[in-house]
Amino acid sequence: MPNVVSSRHASDGSSANDASWLVRKGETGALVAAYAWENTPLGPLGTWPLHLRTVVNQVLEGGPAMALIWGSDYTFLYNDAYAKIIQDKHPAALGVSLRESFSEIWDALNPLVKQAMSGEAVVINDYILSLTRNGVTSSGIFSFSYNPIRNEDGQVEGFLAIVVENTDRLAAEKERYKVFDTVLSAINDFAYTFDLNGRFVYVNKALLDLWGLPLEQAVGKDFFDLKYPGDLATRLQRQIQEVIANKSVVRDETRYVSPSGVEGFYEYIFSPVFGPDGAVTIVAGSTRDITQRKKLEMDLVAASQAKDDFLATLSHELRTPLNPVLLLATEAANNSNLPPEVRDDFRSIAHNISMEARLIDDLLDISRIAHGKLPLNLVQLEVHPLLSLVLDSLFPEITAKELRITKKWTEGHLTVVGDELRLHQLFSNLLRNAVKFTPKGGAITVITRINPEIPRTLQIEVTDSGIGMSADELARVFDPFAQGDHSEAGAGFGGLGLGLAISLKIAELHSGSIAASSPGRNEGSSFLIKLPLHSAGFSSPPFAERTPRSEGTKNALGKLKVLLVEDHYSSRAVLARLLTNRKIEVVQAASAAEALTAASRSAFDLVISDIGLPDMDGYQLMAQLRTAYGCRGIALSGFGTQQDIDQSKQAGFLYHLTKPVQMEALDEALDRFVDG
């Protein structure tokens, strides 16, 4: 560092005490003019070089708080605005070394001063310094810049300091922050903000409590620093950057275990906060503990699964006793040696057992109905014969109540595309309700007509003179388990409240609708069904009896050796007899263990097996028989969902027949096996 000019004469020959060049503005300007600079390393005013004079005048002109630090001793002068900042250090600090005037903060300033004197500018924002003023040492917050000043040779001789004190502003912000923090720390949700690098700037009390950390140990940290699991920390940091890059909100949820071992589920939202220029300045976040909701959801899922498992098992148990009855009935219905009227009786038995099996599905698997997942076997159906069949099935109840049935049916063949059993169920539910809720001697009218306003749409209206419905009952008539208040009309109606809910789903699955109306209690009810009529573009399987077996197929069946696995004695006995009648050699097994033993002793062409066996399910059994002996099979099961059918195929079954099984279906599977 070069020495400053200290001679009694200026370099331009003027007097060393000549201060005419000095701006004498304000109190500090007058003090600078009167100061004995000759006693400082700077020397008399008249000896100061031009570049120093220029900077001094710039300082004294006023405006922002400015100070000049000059020479290796860091001699210090400043303006009125700066004097207000240093308070009682003025005027003693004037002309004194910066090191001496600010000894209490010199350790903090020293590296910055050296940086400036080395020729590198310094810019500092919101720097906290514990400054002694008016006899009190307190923290102040300052933003400042140090700008090096060079002589004609390019050497740095000092620097210009421009200072702004932010203590009052930041104190006010701190007060607002305290209010902000008080509010956010009073809530149970977690609230926080991030800087643009994904580091925490603010964290409320709820989240600090979860972490078990004070605020100062959380601010400035990211999720990795806070020991979040690696995959979770990576995801959260990435999502913060997505918010910044896309200027959009991110919502998500996660499982998290706190440092104290508290496990929970949390949903969170990260939102961008924009500055005046539209750029993201910070990212704000909030998190809610959803552990109880998640546990409830998981409990509901588990309960729903338990219900589905129970209903599937119950369905299986209800179907199994129907199986031998349907097998015998369908066998007898196709026995040409029996009289026609006897075959008709067996056909009626088989038909009603098949319907009962479908009703078991509908009544037990409500979740499937509610989600519109009823499978449909679509064919062309004439509506009038189906309605007549339903009315015939209700004849005993109609006769007992002496009801008058009026049919106003439009002429011609009204054909729809639908599932016969489902539409039978739909019509039966509505007509059975009409019979049920119409008092003795009442009337029921069934009307069919083409809708005059909607082309190719059939309307079927069922109107009764029964107990009617209130407005409240009408509003929920199609809700599952909804029952009207029938106390005024007398007790004994019963029911589960599922029939109309099921009917609505069936109509919707057929691209139709149902509407209910009633003038009021004791004034009857009316239900209007709308179904699309058959269009020429649909072709359904023809209504024809099954083609008789060829002699080749009969001979092939007679050479089969079948392993029949069924734990239900009646079903096994009936199946064995019916298969034997077809000249098939049958070996019976009541369990998987018996089946595996039989397979180890003899070769079988085909396995016909139940799925719900007592010691091993049929899927596992089939997989073992296929692997060990190359067996192929037909599954007979009370479980008939698509998942069950898919699982059968994976296990190695060629066909999956759902109980109760019609003998025609088993015959078709056997024929396809021997012909294929």
Side-chain angles (χ1 to χ4, degrees), residues 296-318:
L296 179 59
E297 289 176 358
M298 290 187 287
D299 289 345
L300 290 174
V301 169
S304 178
Q305 185 60 50
K307 178 210 70 174
D308 291 344
D309 293 343
F310 167 76
L311 293 179
T313 302
L314 182 59
S315 174
H316 176 270
E317 295 303 316
L318 291 174

Side-chain angles (χ1 to χ4, degrees), residues 124-177:
I124 299 291
N125 290 312
D126 294 338
Y127 195 54
I128 299 175
L129 294 170
S130 295
L131 193 63
T132 301
R133 295 181 287 190
N134 297 327
V136 177
T137 301
S138 61
S139 294
I141 302 174
F142 303 89
S143 295
F144 52 87
S145 64
Y146 291 171
N147 304 285
I149 300 171
R150 301 176 185 272
N151 61 23
E152 295 176 353
D153 297 328
Q155 295 176 312
V156 176
E157 292 195 272
F159 60 88
L160 175 66
I162 301 175
V163 181
V164 176
E165 183 171 5
N166 299 320
T167 305
D168 292 342
R169 175 178 62 81
L170 293 179
E173 290 181 1
K174 187 175 181 180
E175 286 301 314
R176 289 195 296 271
Y177 169 86

Side-chain angles (χ1 to χ4, degrees), residues 1-5 41-42 48-49 51-53 55-56 67-77 96-98 117 148-151 155-160:
M1 175 69 60
N3 292 324
V4 297
V5 176
L42 269 66
W48 290 4
H51 58 279
L52 175 56
R53 295 179 182 187
V55 177
V56 169
L68 177 65
I69 294 85
W70 197 263
S72 58
D73 289 331
Y74 310 134
T75 303
F76 185 49
L77 65 83
V96 178
S97 172
L98 184 69
M117 294 298 287
I149 300 171
R150 301 176 185 272
N151 61 23
Q155 295 176 312
V156 176
E157 292 195 272
F159 60 88
L160 175 66

Side-chain angles (χ1 to χ4, degrees), residues 457-471:
T457 299
L458 169 65
Q459 291 187 175
I460 304 165
E461 187 171 6
V462 178
T463 302
D464 63 65
S465 61
I467 65 173
M469 289 180 283
S470 66

Side-chain angles (χ1 to χ4, degrees), residues 398-404 438-444 465:
I398 292 172
T399 302
K401 297 184 75 171
E402 301 177 3
L403 301 177
R404 299 186 307 278
T438 300
K440 188 174 183 178
I444 297 173
S465 61

